[in-house]
Amino acid sequence: MANKTGVLTSLRDFDAIRNDPNVTWTREPGSNVDVLTSGDIPLAICHLDVIQPFTYFGESVAQFITFEDLAAVALAAHHLNTGDSRLVPDLEGLPSRCNVRFTIESGDTQLTPSVGVDHVLNITSRQPGVERLPCAFIGAYRSAVSIATSIFTGLRKYPQISAGSTSADLEDKFQYPLFGRTIPSDSGNAVPIIQFLHEVLGITHLAVLNVNDAYGNSFVQGLRVAAEKHAPAMNIHQVSIDEQIASIRTALNSIKATQYQVIFTILFSPETHDAVLNMAYEIGIA
C-alpha cells in the first residue's frame, strides 16, 4: 500500500537524514531515541530492529512468511511517520502531534539462540551519535531465541516485543524485565487444549511428544498444570526428542509401549513432523 508520496518513502527519507554526516544526533541517558536538536522543532528517531528467522538453522532457503512480516512492520512504521489513517483512523494528523519518527532494520536469527544473541550484542554495541542504535527490538519467533536475546536486550535497557514466542518462562519479569508479547503464553494456550481433549474427546490417557527445548518443555508443563485443574484424572506421558531419527524412533517406541491411543505433538519444523509421522507409521502406531 502506498500513499501519495510513494511506497514507504518515509523510511528512506529519515534514514537519509539520520545518515547525513553534517547532522549531529544526541541520545540522552535513559532514552532510547536519537534526537536532532538543530532547527525549530527537535526531531527524534526511534530505530526498530526486527529479529526474525529469515532463514532456518543456517540453510540458504528464504522463509517467505518472515519477509511478509517484515513488510508489515515497514508499512506500520511508514504509516506512523506519515499519519496514514487508512488502516488505523487514529493516526490521522499524528506527525503534527508527535515529533518521533521511525526507521527499521532487521537481523536473521536463523532460529538459533546464539545467532540472535550475536546480532543483539553487535547492534547494541554501536557507537552512540555515529551509528544507528536501536530504540526497541521486534521478535523473535522461537521462544528459545527470545529467552536468550531478551536477557541481553533487558540488561541493555531495550524493550523486546514478540508476536510468536509463547514460552511461559518468559513471564519471569525479574529475568526478562523488558520483554513483552502480543500472543498468549503456553500456560494460557494449554487450558483450552486440555479442556477440549478431556471434555469433548473424553481422553484420559495422553501421550505428549515434544521437541526438547525451552518451548517444548514449557508447553508440556503448561499442559500438566492445566490438567491438574481441569482434568485431574488425565494421565500425561511425556517423551522429548531432538531432531535425529534415532531419537524419534526411541521416543515413539516408548509411547507404543504405553499403549496410549492419543499422541499430542509439540514439534517445530515440517521436516520433523514428516519424520515423526513416517516413523510412527513404520512402527505401527499411526
Side-chain angles (χ1 to χ4, degrees):
M1 180 179 293
N3 67 10
K4 62 183 180 180
T5 61
V7 180
L8 305 183
T9 53
S10 71
L11 302 181
R12 297 194 299 271
D13 292 343
F14 289 114
D15 264 333
I17 295 173
R18 179 65 182 80
N19 293 327
D20 187 339
N22 298 316
V23 174
T24 301
W25 296 88
T26 60
R27 177 169 290 207
E28 297 295 331
S31 173
N32 281 8
V33 296
D34 291 325
V35 179
L36 170 63
T37 55
S38 60
D40 297 333
I41 302 175
L43 175 67
I45 297 290
C46 175
H47 186 58
L48 300 174
D49 189 66
V50 183
I51 46 175
Q52 301 287 34
F54 297 97
T55 59
Y56 285 3
F57 303 112
E59 298 177 355
S60 59
V61 179
Q63 303 302 315
F64 291 106
I65 187 173
T66 312
F67 287 89
E68 292 174 352
D69 286 352
L70 179 61
V73 174
L75 180 64
H78 178 65
H79 281 194
L80 290 169
N81 289 339
T82 61
D84 191 320
S85 59
R86 285 175 290 177
L87 293 180
V88 182
D90 289 343
L91 295 184
E92 179 70 36
L94 180 64
S96 62
R97 304 192 306 269
C98 176
N99 66 340
V100 178
R101 304 295 183 264
F102 296 88
T103 56
I104 68 169
E105 70 176 283
S106 61
D108 184 6
T109 68
Q110 301 178 23
L111 288 180
T112 305
S114 60
V115 175
V117 168
D118 184 59
H119 174 76
V120 166
L121 291 179
N122 284 334
I123 190 175
T124 58
S125 298
R126 290 173 175 173
Q127 186 177 354
V130 177
E131 300 175 284
R132 297 185 302 178
L133 280 167
C135 170
F137 289 86
I138 299 176
Y141 275 8
R142 187 181 177 195
S143 292
V145 176
S146 288
I147 285 172
T149 56
S150 60
I151 291 176
F152 293 95
T153 55
L155 284 172
R156 297 193 173 185
K157 310 303 181 185
Y158 294 107
Q160 179 175 335
I161 309 298
S162 171
S165 295
T166 57
S167 172
D169 291 347
L170 288 161
E171 295 173 351
D172 185 345
K173 290 305 178 184
F174 179 79
Q175 186 81 345
Y176 315 105
L178 296 182
F179 178 82
R181 54 185 160 204
T182 58
I183 187 173
S185 72
D186 293 334
S187 58
N189 293 330
V191 172
I193 292 172
I194 289 295
Q195 289 177 322
F196 178 78
L197 294 174
H198 177 64
E199 298 171 10
V200 178
L201 301 183
I203 294 169
T204 58
H205 293 75
L206 179 67
V208 180
L209 181 69
N210 69 281
V211 61
N212 189 19
D213 66 2
Y215 167 71
N217 292 317
S218 176
F219 204 128
V220 177
Q221 180 59 26
L223 291 174
R224 292 189 186 279
V225 171
E228 288 177 2
K229 181 177 181 180
H230 300 282
M234 180 181 291
N235 296 292
I236 296 178
H237 176 75
Q238 177 188 3
V239 182
S240 300
I241 64 168
D242 55 33
E243 296 188 335
Q244 303 301 315
I245 293 298
S247 171
I248 294 172
R249 183 186 296 274
T250 299
L252 290 176
N253 279 323
S254 171
I255 293 175
K256 182 178 182 179
T258 67
Q259 297 187 352
Y260 284 16
Q261 298 297 303
V262 178
I263 304 172
F264 185 85
T265 62
I266 307 167
L267 306 177
F268 201 78
S269 69
E271 292 78 13
T272 304
H273 278 88
D274 290 348
V276 166
L277 288 172
N278 288 333
M279 186 64 67
Y281 178 79
E282 180 180 317
I283 67 175
I285 61 171

